[in-house]
Amino acid sequence: MEDTDPRHENTGQTKTRVFLLEDHEMMRQGLRTVLAAVPDIEVVGEAGTIASALVQLPAVCPDVAILDVRLPDGDGISACRDIRSMLPGTACLMFTAYEDDQALLGAIMA
């Protein structure tokens, strides 16, 4: 089946394009390394703050944004809403090391 997603239209690519939003550099490096080992995934951008991510995202138009729930300039839940509003075709995947039922519910709702 041919890829008809407009984000892949002119490139013929079929890789899943991923953007990382994580404030800890070591975690971003680890995620990037793990994802780079997967042939069907390409990390197309990364940021440590929501503000930086929102500037970069329209240019790279990822298929998936991986978001930390807690960030220095806000939270991943709000970032998810902003990203989905700006780029409706981008799915958001949130992760956290904290056990927080409110964050879980907010993530589901976003």
Side-chain angles (χ1 to χ4, degrees):
M1 179 176 199
E2 187 176 317
D3 184 359
T4 57
D5 188 320
R7 290 172 284 189
H8 303 157
E9 200 168 85
N10 296 323
T11 64
Q13 79 181 41
T14 58
K15 290 186 176 187
T16 299
R17 299 166 47 81
V18 175
F19 187 93
L20 305 174
L21 175 51
E22 163 60 55
D23 59 323
H24 294 97
E25 179 67 28
M26 295 279 291
M27 181 62 90
R28 274 200 322 269
Q29 287 178 5
L31 284 168
R32 188 180 336 110
T33 299
V34 168
L35 294 172
V38 180
D40 295 341
I41 294 178
E42 175 185 10
V43 176
V44 295
E46 58 185 74
T49 65
I50 295 169
S52 178
L54 294 178
V55 169
Q56 295 178 56
L57 281 161
V60 296
C61 200
D63 299 304
V64 177
I66 299 177
L67 316 173
D68 190 357
V69 170
R70 291 192 169 92
L71 294 156
D73 59 341
D75 61 75
I77 296 162
S78 298
C80 176
R81 288 187 186 108
D82 292 342
I83 292 165
R84 298 280 296 141
S85 176
M86 182 181 4
L87 300 168
T90 298
C92 293
L93 172 67
M94 286 187 256
F95 69 97
T96 185
Y98 300 97
E99 285 190 39
D100 182 346
D101 291 339
Q102 273 309 105
L104 176 61
L105 179 60
I108 291 168
M109 298 306 291

